[in-house]
Amino acid sequence: MGEFRRVKIGVVGLGRMGRRHVYNLMYRVPRSQVVAVCTNLPHEIEWAQNNEEYNDFGVAIYEDYDKMLQHPGIEAVWVSTSTDVHAIQSLKGIEKGLHVLCEKPLSTDLDESQRVVDAAAKKPELKVMAAFSRRFDASYRDAAQKILVDRAIGKPFMVRSQTGDLLDTTGFFVRYATRNGSIFVDCAIHDIDLTLWYLDDPVPKACWATGSLQHHPELAESHDVDNAVGVVEYWGGKMAYYLCSRTQAHGHDVSTEITGTEGKIQVNVIPRTNKVVLCNKDGMTHEVEREYWDRFEHAFATEAQEFINSILHDTPVPLPLATGQKVMQIARALQSALWSGEVTRWNEKGEIIYEGKPKWETVMNGHAK
Amino acid sequence: MGEFRRVKIGVVGLGRMGRRHVYNLMYRVPRSQVVAVCTNLPHEIEWAQNNEEYNDFGVAIYEDYDKMLQHPGIEAVWVSTSTDVHAIQSLKGIEKGLHVLCEKPLSTDLDESQRVVDAAAKKPELKVMAAFSRRFDASYRDAAQKILVDRAIGKPFMVRSQTGDLLDTTGFFVRYATRNGSIFVDCAIHDIDLTLWYLDDPVPKACWATGSLQHHPELAESHDVDNAVGVVEYWGGKMAYYLCSRTQAHGHDVSTEITGTEGKIQVNVIPRTNKVVLCNKDGMTHEVEREYWDRFEHAFATEAQEFINSILHDTPVPLPLATGQKVMQIARALQSALWSGEVTRWNEKGEIIYEGKPKWETVMNGHAK
Amino acid sequence: MGEFRRVKIGVVGLGRMGRRHVYNLMYRVPRSQVVAVCTNLPHEIEWAQNNEEYNDFGVAIYEDYDKMLQHPGIEAVWVSTSTDVHAIQSLKGIEKGLHVLCEKPLSTDLDESQRVVDAAAKKPELKVMAAFSRRFDASYRDAAQKILVDRAIGKPFMVRSQTGDLLDTTGFFVRYATRNGSIFVDCAIHDIDLTLWYLDDPVPKACWATGSLQHHPELAESHDVDNAVGVVEYWGGKMAYYLCSRTQAHGHDVSTEITGTEGKIQVNVIPRTNKVVLCNKDGMTHEVEREYWDRFEHAFATEAQEFINSILHDTPVPLPLATGQKVMQIARALQSALWSGEVTRWNEKGEIIYEGKPKWETVMNGHAK
Amino acid sequence: MGEFRRVKIGVVGLGRMGRRHVYNLMYRVPRSQVVAVCTNLPHEIEWAQNNEEYNDFGVAIYEDYDKMLQHPGIEAVWVSTSTDVHAIQSLKGIEKGLHVLCEKPLSTDLDESQRVVDAAAKKPELKVMAAFSRRFDASYRDAAQKILVDRAIGKPFMVRSQTGDLLDTTGFFVRYATRNGSIFVDCAIHDIDLTLWYLDDPVPKACWATGSLQHHPELAESHDVDNAVGVVEYWGGKMAYYLCSRTQAHGHDVSTEITGTEGKIQVNVIPRTNKVVLCNKDGMTHEVEREYWDRFEHAFATEAQEFINSILHDTPVPLPLATGQKVMQIARALQSALWSGEVTRWNEKGEIIYEGKPKWETVMNGHAK
C-alpha cells in the first residue's frame, strides 16, 4: 500500500470566495487538506466555529494571519481576502517558505504586485500563482485548443469579451467594490487575460474607454462606473474590445468571441444555467447562471487540482505570475482612459508613452443621474 | 477538533463505469473511502495494480468478490459489474450486512430483482439503492422543481424522452449489449423512471413498440435492435413515448420533454458538450457530449454524496428500490411489444392482462439488412 | 413591350385561410389575378364588400359557388372551405375545366378523395393539386436537399414529427374541429407527408396510437382528442412517430427530425417567431410563432407561385394528387388505431390487412376529465 | 368595381441591389408598377433586354437617366446606383417632381446629402426617403416595440451592434468598396441608426475607433480597413459600440444588443439562415445567411410597401431624411477617429468640437501585412 500524501493548506479570507475555496479543496482535491482557516471578522470566525464540516475535517480557525502561517505542517496558503491585502499576505506566505495561490489580482498597484513577482522569483522552489479561473474552464480550454493548436479559425486577430455581473440589490456589491479596484481592474482583467492567451501575447498600442453609472450612485465617490466599454488596439493589426457590466438583469453573462482570418470561436455567447427550457405563454425561457461560481465552480476545482499537482510533482505553475502583471497594466490603462477621456498609448515595447490625467468632472457629467 | 468519519467502500467491477465510480468517490465524496476494488478480469486486475492513484489511496485489489466482502471495516459495496450479476452481488452484500449501491438495473429478470428488494426490506438498517443517475442531475431536478413544486406547466400529462448513444464502431458496445438486456431494458428505463417521476407515479394501461437494426447486425442473434420507439398509455389520460438509439452520429443525445396543461419543460433538447461554438464556412457548430459520463458526471457525484449521507445520517435512500421494479416492468412490456408486434395491456392495478408472444421472424423481417 | 399574362383565379371560402390565400395571390404572385371570391356566410360577404383592397383590385364577390365558376375568364379555383366540401367543390371546378388548388385534405373519406383523383386524371390538361404547404417551405426543402441529394445523413430510416397548435381559448378551434376530421387526419397528414418524402416513399406495415383529451371536452362528442401520439412501422426497417397537439401553451410548435445511418436533420426543433431574445430577471426568452401562418406564410406564397407557374408553362404540378391519398390512408389508420386501441396492419403492397373496431368507451375512459 | 391605382416607378441602377428592388416591387408591392429601369452599363442593359420577366411586365429600359425621368407617367424613382451618384440622381428626381427612394447613404459627403435634404424640404408634396432597411425588419421592429413601447428593459442606455459581411473572395467587394465610402460609412450607419432609434435620439459626445486590414490589401490604397471597432459615448450616460467586418467566415452576421436598466434585448445574436440543423460527427451545425438579402429580403419588401403607401395616402415617409444626416455625421466621426487615432468630440448641441487629422502612416502600420 503506497503512501498517500496530502498538501496541508491554510486559507485566509472566509468571505464568499474563501468558503468556496475551502469547499473545493475538501470535495474536489483529494490530495489537499485544509488544516487551517483565518479571518479577522468576528462573524466569520463564529460561522467557522459552528460549521460542522470544518469540525469534522479538523480545520483550525485563526484570527491572526501570522499565527496561521505557523500552523504545524502548513505547506501552502490560499489568499482569498479583499484585493487590498492580497500582496502583503502573499509576501508573508512566500517569506515563510509557503506555496501561495492568490486570488486575482495580486494588487491594484503595479509596484506592489511587482514586489510579489520579485519575491517569488527569488524562491523558485515555491509555487506562487495568481488565480485566473477562466484559464481552467473546460470551454475556454477547448477554445484554446481549437484556436492555438487546431488553428480552426486561421490567424486570430480580434477578441470581443465581456464580464457581466447580475445586478446586486443587496448592497453587498457596493461595499465590496470600494476595496477591489475600479471596474476595468476588477472585471476586465479576465477578458484581457483571455486576449493575451488567444492572440498569442500581443503588445498593446492604444486604448480608449467610456462608461456610465446606472444603478449604484454610491460608486461615484470612488469615481467608478457600473458599465464600461473599452477598446484596445494591439501592435500588428490586432484588437480587442471589452464590456464590463455590474448591472445585468438576467444573470452572470460572461462571454468571449475570438475572430480569426478563417473563422470565429464563441464561448458562452448564450449563457445557460443548465439544460432546462420552460415553454409557456411567454415563449421559451432558459435561466442564466446567477454568479461566477455557478459558471466557474468546476474551473476553480481544476485550478486547485492543478496547482496542488504542481506542488506535488514540482512542476511549473499552470500560469506564470508575470502574465498577471501585463494584464493589470492594460486594465489600468483602460481605467485611466476612462478617467481622462483620452487615449492611452504604448510603444512597441509595451511601455506607456502617453496617458491622460483624470478629469473627474467630465467623467461624472456623463453619468446617468 | 471533531472526528471525521468516512464510509469504507468496496467497488466491484472495474470496467468503464466501475473506474468512474472509484474516481468519483475519491474526488467528489470526501466522506467516503474506497478501501477495496474487485474484478475477476486479469487485465483489469493488472490495470488496478499499476494505477498510481489506487496505490496512493491505499486501495486493496481483489479477484474474489466474497473475499472483498470480508475486507476489514468495509461498510458498503458499489456494484458496477454487468447486469447479469447485479442481483447476486447485491444479495451477497446485503447478506453480509453491507450497504449496497447497485448500478441499474438490479436485474433484467423481475423475479430476481424482486429478491433483492425483499432481502433489503428485511434489513431496514441497510441502505440499498439502485442507481438512477438522472434523478441526481441538476437539470432534471430543476425540471422536477418546476413541474412538481412550482406547478409551472399546470397538470403534466405527457412525456417524450429519448436515450441516444453515440454510434460505437469499436465493437465494445456489441460485446457489452449481450449481457445487459435488450434495448428498452438497457436504455429506456431511465426515460420510464423520469415519466414516473414527472407524471406522479402513473399506472400503465397499454404499450406498443417497434424497432430497427441499422448498424449492429450482430444484435440480431439476441433479437435486439439498435433503434426502437415505444409508446405507453397510462391510466387517466397520461402518455409517454420513447426513443432508444444506439447509433447517434453526433453524440450522446439524451433529452426529455414534459408537457402539461399550461406549458412544457424541455431538458437537454439541444445537447451541448460545453459552451463553445465554432463559426466557419460550414456555419455555426457546437459539439455534443460523447457519452453518458460527459453528460452525467456531476449527477454521479451527487448520487454518491447523497447515498453516503443517507448512510452517515441514517436517512432513507434518495430513491426507493420499489421504483426500479415498476420501471423495469414497463421496460420489459415495451420489449415484449417490440418482439410480439402486439399491444401489451395492464389493468388499473398495474397488472399485465395481455402480452403477445415473441414473433422472431416478424421482428427480424422488418430490419434493415 | 411583351404581353403580360395573369392567371384569373376565383377563391372559394373566405375564412381565415381563404383571406390569406387572396392576400398571397395579390401580394406575392404577380402572375395571378384574383377576379372573384365566394362564400355563403353573410358576415364574410359583408367583410369582403367592405374590404378596400378587394374593391381596389376589382374582386367580384359571389354567394353561389356555381355562379363564381362562370365568372368571365376564370381559369382556376382555390378551394379553402372546410374539409367537408373540399371534394365536391374541387370536382365542380374540374368539371368546369378549371385548374384547382385545394386545401389539404381533399376529403376525410378516401373514396371521395379518390373520385377527385380520378376526375383529375381524366383531364390531364388541368392542374389539380392538394396543398401541402410544408413541401414549399425553405427549411423543409433544405432538409430534402441535404437528405435526398447531398446524402448528408446516410440512409434515412426514422422520422419524428410533430404538429403542435397553440391552445385556442376562443372557441374557434372547437367549432372548426368538428368539420375537419379527427386529430390525425387534420394534423398528422403533414407529418406523414414529410415521412413519405424523406424516407423515399416507404410502405406502412403497422401502426398504433393513443391520445388524451386535456382541454376541449367538447371534442369527446366526436370521439376526438386534443393530444395524440402515433407510431408507424414501415416495411424495410423504417419507422416514424408523430405527436399531434391542439394545446401547446407557447405557440405553434411544429418540428421534424429525420435520422439516418450517418446523421440527423432537425427542422424547427426550437421554434422562434423572429430573431429577438429578451433577457430579464426571468432569464432569456424568445417568443414562438402563434400559428401556422406565422410559420408558413412564405411557403404558401411559394406554393401559389409554383402552382401558377405550372399553369402558365403547362408543367406538372409540384406535388401529385396520389401522394395525398397515401398520406390520408396512413392518417386514417392511425386514427383507427387510436379508436380501437389495436394495431392496424398492412401487407407489403400497402393494403390494410387488419384494423380494429372503434371502442368508444375505452377511448373515452383514458381521457382526463 | 373600384379603381386600382399603381404608382409608376423607374429604377436606376441594375446591379445586385437594383435588380432586387425591381423583383420586390414586382412580387411584393401590388400597388407599384415598374415602368422603367436605367443603367449605363452595357452588360446590365443586355441583361435587362434578355430578361423575360421585364419583357412580360412591360418594363422600358433606358441608358440615360434624364430620359428615364421623362418616361410617360413616371411618378417615383428608386435610386440604387453606387453611392457616389446617389445625391445627384436624387436631386434630379426631386427637380422633376418625382418621389424618391434612395439607397443609403444619400452621400458620403455631408454637404452633398444636405443639399438633397434641402431640396426635398422645398417640395413637401414629394416623398423622399433614404432607405434604412433595418427599420422595416420584423425583428428590429419587435425590439423597438419591446424597448420603446412596452418598456421591457427599463431605460435603455447601451447598444452593441455589428455589421459583419461574409468574406468575399470573388473580387466583387473590393471593386464595390472604393465607390461606397470607407468602412464606418458603408457598414456602421445601420448600427448607428439603430442606436438613435433605440436610445431615443441621443447626442454624441466622443468617439474613438481602430481597425485592421486582414484580407483585402487593395483597400489600403483608399485608407480603408476590413475590420473596425468603434465606441461612441453619448451625452447623458449613454454609449454604443460597433463592429464592422468585411471578412466573416460563416456568413452575414449582423446583430444588435440593447441594454437597459432592467434588461437586454438581443436581435439576431445567433444568426440562422433557416430552421434546419444538421447533426453529424462534427456536432450540430446550422448555416448562416450568406448576405444582407437573405437576412433582409422581407424588410425591403415592407420598406417598399410602406413607401408606396405614403405616396398613395400622402402620409409622412416612415423615416425622415434628417435622421440619415445625423447618422452619417457620427459614421464620419468614427472614420475620422480611425484615421487620426484621436478622439472626436462633440458639444451638447451635437456640434463637432474636435477632430484629429488623418495620420495615414500610423493607420497603416497597425495593419496586418
Side-chain angles (χ1 to χ4, degrees):
Chain A
M1 196 181 296
E3 178 199 13
F4 177 50
R5 166 160 141 61
R6 300 209 286 178
V7 176
K8 289 186 169 55
I9 296 169
V11 175
V12 62
L14 273 186
R16 190 173 55 164
M17 192 61 212
R19 296 175 193 189
R20 286 166 172 176
H21 276 307
V22 173
Y23 171 89
N24 246 343
L25 290 165
M26 285 177 174
Y27 279 84
R28 306 292 293 266
V29 193
R31 300 305 188 90
S32 77
Q33 183 182 10
V34 179
V35 296
V37 294
C38 174
T39 171
N40 58 11
L41 297 176
H43 72 275
E44 290 181 3
I45 293 278
E46 192 185 335
W47 176 88
Q49 284 169 338
N50 293 326
N51 184 293
E52 192 195 334
E53 234 163 10
Y54 287 21
N55 277 313
D56 282 1
F57 280 79
V59 177
I61 300 163
Y62 290 90
E63 280 184 75
D64 181 332
Y65 181 60
D66 295 326
K67 287 192 180 145
M68 185 180 82
L69 293 184
Q70 302 186 32
H71 185 91
I74 191 171
E75 295 167 86
V77 287
W78 241 246
V79 178
S80 21
T81 40
S82 59
T83 299
D84 51 358
V85 293
H86 283 177
I88 181 68
Q89 291 178 337
S90 295
L91 284 168
K92 283 185 172 182
I94 293 168
E95 199 171 305
K96 269 285 176 190
L98 304 180
H99 308 290
V100 177
L101 187 138
C102 180
E103 269 304 294
K104 65 87 195 164
L106 287 174
S107 169
T108 61
D109 180 283
L110 284 165
D111 292 336
E112 194 178 49
S113 52
Q114 189 59 46
R115 282 199 288 280
V116 181
V117 177
D118 294 344
K122 283 183 196 145
K123 300 205 176 177
E125 73 278 14
L126 296 183
K127 307 303 170 191
V128 182
M129 188 166 88
F132 279 86
S133 48
R134 294 188 201 170
R135 291 263 186 168
F136 300 87
D137 173 67
S139 293
Y140 284 111
R141 285 185 162 187
D142 185 21
Q145 170 71 28
K146 286 182 165 58
I147 295 167
L148 301 174
V149 181
D150 307 343
R151 311 301 298 178
I153 59 167
K155 176 177 156 281
F157 67 90
M158 180 163 57
V159 167
R160 174 174 81 81
S161 197
Q162 74 174 46
T163 295
D165 288 323
L166 181 65
L167 176 66
D168 174 73
T169 55
T170 67
F172 171 82
F173 164 69
V174 170
R175 287 192 303 276
Y176 154 92
T178 54
R179 300 184 67 191
N180 286 279
S182 43
I183 193 161
F184 282 112
V185 169
D186 193 45
C187 289
I189 63 172
H190 286 298
D191 303 295
I192 297 166
D193 177 48
L194 295 173
T195 307
L196 298 189
W197 191 11
Y198 295 133
L199 298 191
D200 197 15
D201 213 16
V203 178
K205 185 181 177 195
C207 74
W208 192 67
T210 187
S212 181
L213 194 50
Q214 295 292 331
H215 274 280
H216 297 301
E218 304 90 331
L219 297 182
E221 282 179 45
S222 49
H223 307 302
D224 209 354
V225 294
D226 51 23
N227 283 270
V229 173
V231 180
V232 182
E233 180 184 345
Y234 292 89
W235 288 94
K238 297 177 180 177
M239 54 190 162
Y241 56 116
Y242 310 113
L243 168 67
C244 303
S245 173
R246 309 291 202 180
T247 67
Q248 298 289 300
H250 58 298
H252 185 71
D253 191 340
V254 167
S255 65
T256 303
E257 288 189 302
I258 309 98
T259 300
T261 48
E262 292 165 35
K264 182 168 76 165
I265 291 278
Q266 299 182 322
V267 183
N268 201 36
V269 160
I270 303 297
R272 292 176 179 87
T273 200
N274 60 25
K275 294 166 179 289
V276 172
V277 174
L278 172 62
C279 311
N280 64 14
K281 64 183 170 44
D282 296 327
M284 298 179 69
T285 302
H286 69 262
E287 296 173 12
V288 173
E289 288 99 338
R290 305 300 285 173
E291 46 142 324
Y292 72 96
W293 184 254
D294 302 332
R295 172 67 184 85
F296 292 110
E297 175 181 353
H298 302 307
F300 283 110
T302 303
E303 181 178 70
Q305 287 162 5
E306 296 192 2
F307 183 67
I308 290 294
N309 281 344
S310 81
I311 294 173
L312 287 169
H313 306 304
D314 194 15
T315 50
V317 294
L319 188 66
L321 272 183
T323 301
Q325 283 291 92
K326 278 192 218 169
V327 167
M328 181 54 70
Q329 197 211 42
I330 297 171
R332 289 188 59 89
L334 279 166
Q335 193 65 44
S336 149
L338 172 69
W339 281 335
S340 69
E342 295 186 53
V343 179
T344 305
R345 300 184 196 277
W346 289 261
N347 64 19
E348 298 210 14
K349 291 181 242 167
E351 298 158 348
I352 288 178
I353 54 177
Y354 182 78
E355 197 170 13
K357 294 205 184 339
K359 300 190 189 72
W360 305 125
E361 286 309 303
T362 307
V363 176
M364 292 305 126
N365 281 343
H367 297 165
K369 300 302 181 310
Chain B
M1 198 182 295
E3 178 198 13
F4 176 50
R5 167 159 141 61
R6 299 210 286 180
V7 176
K8 290 186 168 53
I9 297 170
V11 175
V12 61
L14 272 187
R16 190 172 57 163
M17 193 61 211
R19 295 173 194 191
R20 286 164 171 177
H21 276 308
V22 173
Y23 171 89
N24 246 343
L25 290 165
M26 286 177 173
Y27 279 83
R28 305 293 293 266
V29 192
R31 300 304 189 90
S32 78
Q33 183 181 9
V34 179
V35 294
V37 294
C38 174
T39 171
N40 58 11
L41 297 176
H43 71 276
E44 290 181 3
I45 293 277
E46 193 185 335
W47 176 88
Q49 284 169 340
N50 293 325
N51 184 293
E52 191 195 336
E53 235 164 10
Y54 287 21
N55 277 313
D56 281 2
F57 280 78
V59 177
I61 300 164
Y62 290 90
E63 280 184 75
D64 181 332
Y65 180 59
D66 294 327
K67 287 193 182 145
M68 185 180 81
L69 294 183
Q70 302 185 32
H71 186 90
I74 191 171
E75 296 167 85
V77 287
W78 241 247
V79 179
S80 19
T81 40
S82 59
T83 299
D84 51 358
V85 293
H86 282 177
I88 181 68
Q89 291 177 338
S90 295
L91 284 169
K92 282 186 173 182
I94 294 167
E95 198 171 305
K96 269 285 174 189
L98 303 182
H99 308 290
V100 177
L101 186 138
C102 180
E103 267 306 292
K104 65 86 195 165
L106 287 174
S107 169
T108 61
D109 179 283
L110 284 165
D111 292 336
E112 193 177 50
S113 52
Q114 188 60 43
R115 281 197 290 278
V116 181
V117 177
D118 295 343
K122 283 182 196 146
K123 300 206 177 176
E125 72 279 13
L126 296 184
K127 307 301 169 193
V128 183
M129 187 167 88
F132 279 87
S133 50
R134 294 188 201 171
R135 292 263 185 168
F136 302 87
D137 173 67
S139 292
Y140 284 111
R141 286 185 163 188
D142 186 21
Q145 170 72 28
K146 285 182 165 59
I147 295 167
L148 302 174
V149 181
D150 306 343
R151 312 299 297 176
I153 59 167
K155 176 177 155 282
F157 66 91
M158 180 164 55
V159 167
R160 175 175 81 81
S161 196
Q162 74 174 46
T163 294
D165 287 324
L166 180 66
L167 175 66
D168 173 72
T169 55
T170 67
F172 172 82
F173 164 68
V174 169
R175 288 192 303 277
Y176 154 92
T178 54
R179 301 184 66 191
N180 286 278
S182 44
I183 194 161
F184 282 113
V185 169
D186 193 44
C187 289
I189 63 171
H190 286 299
D191 303 296
I192 297 166
D193 177 48
L194 294 173
T195 307
L196 299 189
W197 192 12
Y198 295 133
L199 298 191
D200 197 16
D201 214 14
V203 177
K205 184 180 177 194
C207 73
W208 192 66
T210 187
S212 181
L213 195 50
Q214 295 293 330
H215 274 279
H216 297 301
E218 304 90 332
L219 297 182
E221 282 178 44
S222 48
H223 307 300
D224 208 355
V225 294
D226 51 23
N227 282 271
V229 173
V231 179
V232 182
E233 180 184 346
Y234 293 89
W235 289 94
K238 296 178 181 177
M239 53 191 161
Y241 56 116
Y242 309 114
L243 167 67
C244 303
S245 173
R246 308 292 203 180
T247 68
Q248 298 288 300
H250 57 299
H252 184 71
D253 191 341
V254 167
S255 65
T256 302
E257 288 190 301
I258 308 97
T259 301
T261 47
E262 292 165 35
K264 181 168 77 164
I265 290 279
Q266 299 182 322
V267 183
N268 203 35
V269 161
I270 303 297
R272 292 176 179 87
T273 200
N274 61 22
K275 294 167 179 286
V276 173
V277 174
L278 172 61
C279 312
N280 64 14
K281 63 182 171 44
D282 297 326
M284 299 179 69
T285 301
H286 69 262
E287 295 172 13
V288 173
E289 287 100 339
R290 305 301 285 174
E291 46 143 325
Y292 72 96
W293 184 253
D294 302 333
R295 173 68 184 85
F296 292 110
E297 175 181 354
H298 302 306
F300 283 111
T302 303
E303 182 179 71
Q305 287 162 5
E306 297 193 0
F307 182 67
I308 290 294
N309 281 343
S310 81
I311 295 173
L312 287 168
H313 305 305
D314 193 14
T315 50
V317 294
L319 189 66
L321 272 184
T323 302
Q325 282 292 91
K326 279 192 217 170
V327 167
M328 180 54 69
Q329 197 211 43
I330 297 171
R332 289 188 59 90
L334 279 166
Q335 193 64 44
S336 148
L338 172 69
W339 281 336
S340 68
E342 296 186 54
V343 180
T344 306
R345 300 184 196 277
W346 290 262
N347 63 18
E348 298 210 16
K349 292 181 239 165
E351 298 159 349
I352 287 178
I353 54 176
Y354 182 78
E355 198 169 12
K357 293 207 184 339
K359 302 191 188 70
W360 305 125
E361 285 310 303
T362 308
V363 175
M364 291 306 125
N365 281 343
H367 297 165
K369 298 304 182 311
Chain C
M1 196 183 296
E3 178 197 14
F4 176 49
R5 164 158 142 63
R6 300 207 287 177
V7 176
K8 289 185 169 54
I9 297 169
V11 175
V12 61
L14 272 188
R16 191 173 56 165
M17 193 59 213
R19 295 174 193 190
R20 286 164 172 177
H21 275 308
V22 173
Y23 171 88
N24 246 342
L25 290 166
M26 285 178 174
Y27 278 84
R28 305 293 293 266
V29 193
R31 300 306 187 91
S32 77
Q33 183 182 8
V34 179
V35 295
V37 295
C38 174
T39 172
N40 58 10
L41 297 177
H43 71 276
E44 289 181 5
I45 292 277
E46 193 185 335
W47 177 89
Q49 284 169 337
N50 293 325
N51 185 294
E52 192 195 336
E53 235 163 10
Y54 287 20
N55 276 312
D56 282 2
F57 280 78
V59 177
I61 300 163
Y62 290 90
E63 281 184 75
D64 181 332
Y65 181 59
D66 294 326
K67 287 191 181 146
M68 185 181 82
L69 294 184
Q70 302 186 32
H71 185 91
I74 191 170
E75 295 167 85
V77 286
W78 242 247
V79 178
S80 19
T81 40
S82 59
T83 299
D84 50 359
V85 294
H86 283 177
I88 180 68
Q89 291 178 338
S90 295
L91 284 169
K92 282 185 172 183
I94 294 167
E95 198 171 307
K96 269 285 174 190
L98 303 182
H99 308 290
V100 176
L101 187 138
C102 180
E103 268 306 292
K104 64 87 196 165
L106 286 175
S107 169
T108 62
D109 180 283
L110 284 166
D111 292 336
E112 192 177 52
S113 51
Q114 189 59 45
R115 281 198 289 279
V116 180
V117 177
D118 295 344
K122 283 184 196 144
K123 299 205 176 176
E125 73 280 14
L126 297 184
K127 307 303 169 189
V128 182
M129 187 167 87
F132 278 86
S133 49
R134 292 188 202 172
R135 292 264 185 166
F136 301 88
D137 173 67
S139 293
Y140 284 111
R141 287 185 162 187
D142 186 21
Q145 170 72 28
K146 286 183 165 59
I147 294 167
L148 302 173
V149 181
D150 306 343
R151 312 299 298 177
I153 60 167
K155 175 176 155 282
F157 66 90
M158 180 163 56
V159 167
R160 175 175 81 80
S161 197
Q162 74 174 45
T163 294
D165 288 323
L166 180 66
L167 175 66
D168 173 73
T169 55
T170 66
F172 171 83
F173 164 68
V174 170
R175 287 192 304 275
Y176 154 92
T178 54
R179 301 184 67 191
N180 286 278
S182 43
I183 194 162
F184 282 114
V185 169
D186 193 45
C187 289
I189 61 171
H190 286 299
D191 304 295
I192 296 166
D193 176 48
L194 294 173
T195 306
L196 299 189
W197 191 12
Y198 294 133
L199 297 191
D200 197 17
D201 212 15
V203 177
K205 185 181 176 195
C207 74
W208 192 66
T210 186
S212 182
L213 194 50
Q214 295 293 331
H215 274 280
H216 297 300
E218 304 90 331
L219 297 182
E221 282 179 46
S222 48
H223 307 300
D224 208 355
V225 295
D226 51 23
N227 282 269
V229 172
V231 179
V232 182
E233 181 184 344
Y234 292 89
W235 288 94
K238 297 178 180 177
M239 54 192 161
Y241 55 117
Y242 309 114
L243 167 67
C244 303
S245 174
R246 309 290 203 182
T247 67
Q248 298 288 301
H250 57 299
H252 184 72
D253 191 341
V254 167
S255 65
T256 303
E257 287 190 301
I258 308 99
T259 300
T261 48
E262 291 165 37
K264 181 168 76 164
I265 290 279
Q266 299 182 323
V267 183
N268 202 35
V269 161
I270 303 297
R272 292 176 178 88
T273 199
N274 60 23
K275 293 165 178 288
V276 172
V277 174
L278 172 63
C279 312
N280 63 14
K281 64 183 171 43
D282 296 326
M284 298 178 69
T285 302
H286 68 261
E287 296 173 12
V288 173
E289 288 99 339
R290 305 301 284 174
E291 48 143 325
Y292 73 95
W293 184 254
D294 302 332
R295 172 69 184 85
F296 292 110
E297 175 181 353
H298 301 306
F300 283 111
T302 303
E303 182 178 71
Q305 288 162 6
E306 296 192 2
F307 182 68
I308 290 294
N309 281 343
S310 80
I311 295 173
L312 287 169
H313 306 303
D314 194 14
T315 51
V317 294
L319 189 65
L321 272 184
T323 301
Q325 283 292 90
K326 279 191 216 171
V327 167
M328 180 56 69
Q329 196 211 43
I330 298 171
R332 290 189 59 90
L334 280 166
Q335 193 65 43
S336 148
L338 173 69
W339 281 335
S340 69
E342 294 185 57
V343 180
T344 305
R345 299 184 197 277
W346 289 262
N347 64 18
E348 297 210 18
K349 290 182 239 165
E351 298 159 348
I352 288 179
I353 54 177
Y354 183 79
E355 197 169 14
K357 292 206 183 341
K359 301 190 188 71
W360 305 126
E361 286 309 304
T362 308
V363 175
M364 292 305 126
N365 282 343
H367 297 164
K369 301 303 182 309
Chain D
M1 195 182 295
E3 176 197 14
F4 177 49
R5 164 157 143 62
R6 299 209 287 177
V7 176
K8 290 186 167 55
I9 297 170
V11 175
V12 62
L14 273 188
R16 189 173 57 164
M17 193 60 214
R19 296 175 192 189
R20 286 165 172 176
H21 276 307
V22 172
Y23 170 89
N24 246 342
L25 289 166
M26 285 178 174
Y27 278 84
R28 306 292 292 266
V29 192
R31 301 305 187 91
S32 77
Q33 183 182 8
V34 179
V35 295
V37 294
C38 173
T39 172
N40 58 12
L41 295 176
H43 71 274
E44 290 181 3
I45 293 277
E46 192 185 335
W47 176 88
Q49 284 169 339
N50 292 326
N51 184 293
E52 190 195 336
E53 233 164 11
Y54 287 20
N55 277 313
D56 281 2
F57 280 77
V59 177
I61 301 163
Y62 292 89
E63 280 184 73
D64 180 334
Y65 181 59
D66 294 325
K67 287 192 181 146
M68 184 179 84
L69 295 184
Q70 302 186 32
H71 185 92
I74 192 171
E75 295 167 85
V77 287
W78 241 246
V79 178
S80 20
T81 40
S82 59
T83 299
D84 50 358
V85 293
H86 283 177
I88 182 67
Q89 290 177 338
S90 295
L91 285 169
K92 282 186 172 181
I94 294 168
E95 199 171 305
K96 269 284 174 191
L98 304 182
H99 308 290
V100 176
L101 187 137
C102 180
E103 268 305 294
K104 64 85 195 168
L106 287 175
S107 169
T108 62
D109 180 282
L110 284 166
D111 291 336
E112 193 178 50
S113 52
Q114 189 60 44
R115 281 197 289 277
V116 181
V117 177
D118 294 343
K122 282 184 198 143
K123 299 205 176 175
E125 73 279 13
L126 296 184
K127 307 301 170 191
V128 183
M129 187 167 88
F132 279 86
S133 49
R134 294 188 201 170
R135 292 263 186 168
F136 301 88
D137 173 67
S139 292
Y140 284 110
R141 286 185 162 188
D142 185 22
Q145 169 72 27
K146 286 182 165 59
I147 295 167
L148 302 174
V149 181
D150 306 344
R151 311 299 299 176
I153 60 168
K155 176 178 154 280
F157 66 91
M158 180 163 57
V159 167
R160 175 175 81 80
S161 196
Q162 74 174 45
T163 295
D165 288 324
L166 180 66
L167 176 65
D168 173 73
T169 56
T170 66
F172 171 82
F173 164 68
V174 170
R175 286 193 303 276
Y176 154 91
T178 54
R179 301 182 68 190
N180 286 278
S182 43
I183 193 162
F184 282 112
V185 169
D186 193 45
C187 288
I189 62 171
H190 287 299
D191 303 295
I192 297 166
D193 177 48
L194 295 173
T195 307
L196 299 190
W197 191 11
Y198 294 134
L199 298 191
D200 196 15
D201 212 15
V203 178
K205 185 181 175 193
C207 73
W208 193 65
T210 187
S212 182
L213 194 51
Q214 295 292 331
H215 274 279
H216 297 300
E218 304 91 331
L219 297 182
E221 281 178 47
S222 48
H223 307 300
D224 208 356
V225 295
D226 51 23
N227 283 269
V229 173
V231 179
V232 182
E233 181 184 345
Y234 292 89
W235 288 94
K238 297 178 180 177
M239 52 193 163
Y241 55 117
Y242 309 114
L243 168 66
C244 304
S245 174
R246 309 291 203 181
T247 68
Q248 299 288 301
H250 57 299
H252 184 71
D253 191 340
V254 167
S255 64
T256 303
E257 289 189 301
I258 308 98
T259 301
T261 48
E262 292 166 35
K264 181 167 77 165
I265 290 278
Q266 299 182 322
V267 183
N268 202 35
V269 160
I270 304 296
R272 294 176 177 88
T273 200
N274 60 24
K275 293 165 179 288
V276 172
V277 174
L278 172 62
C279 312
N280 64 13
K281 64 184 171 43
D282 296 326
M284 298 178 69
T285 303
H286 69 262
E287 296 173 13
V288 173
E289 287 101 337
R290 305 300 285 173
E291 47 141 326
Y292 71 94
W293 184 254
D294 302 333
R295 173 68 185 84
F296 293 110
E297 175 181 354
H298 302 306
F300 283 111
T302 302
E303 182 179 71
Q305 287 162 5
E306 297 193 0
F307 183 67
I308 290 294
N309 280 343
S310 80
I311 295 174
L312 287 169
H313 305 304
D314 194 14
T315 51
V317 294
L319 189 66
L321 272 184
T323 301
Q325 282 292 90
K326 279 192 217 171
V327 167
M328 180 55 69
Q329 197 211 44
I330 297 171
R332 291 189 58 91
L334 279 166
Q335 193 64 44
S336 149
L338 173 69
W339 280 336
S340 69
E342 295 185 57
V343 179
T344 306
R345 299 184 198 277
W346 289 262
N347 63 19
E348 298 210 15
K349 292 182 238 165
E351 298 159 348
I352 288 178
I353 54 177
Y354 182 78
E355 197 169 13
K357 294 207 183 337
K359 300 191 190 71
W360 304 126
E361 286 308 304
T362 307
V363 176
M364 292 305 125
N365 282 342
H367 298 164
K369 302 300 182 311

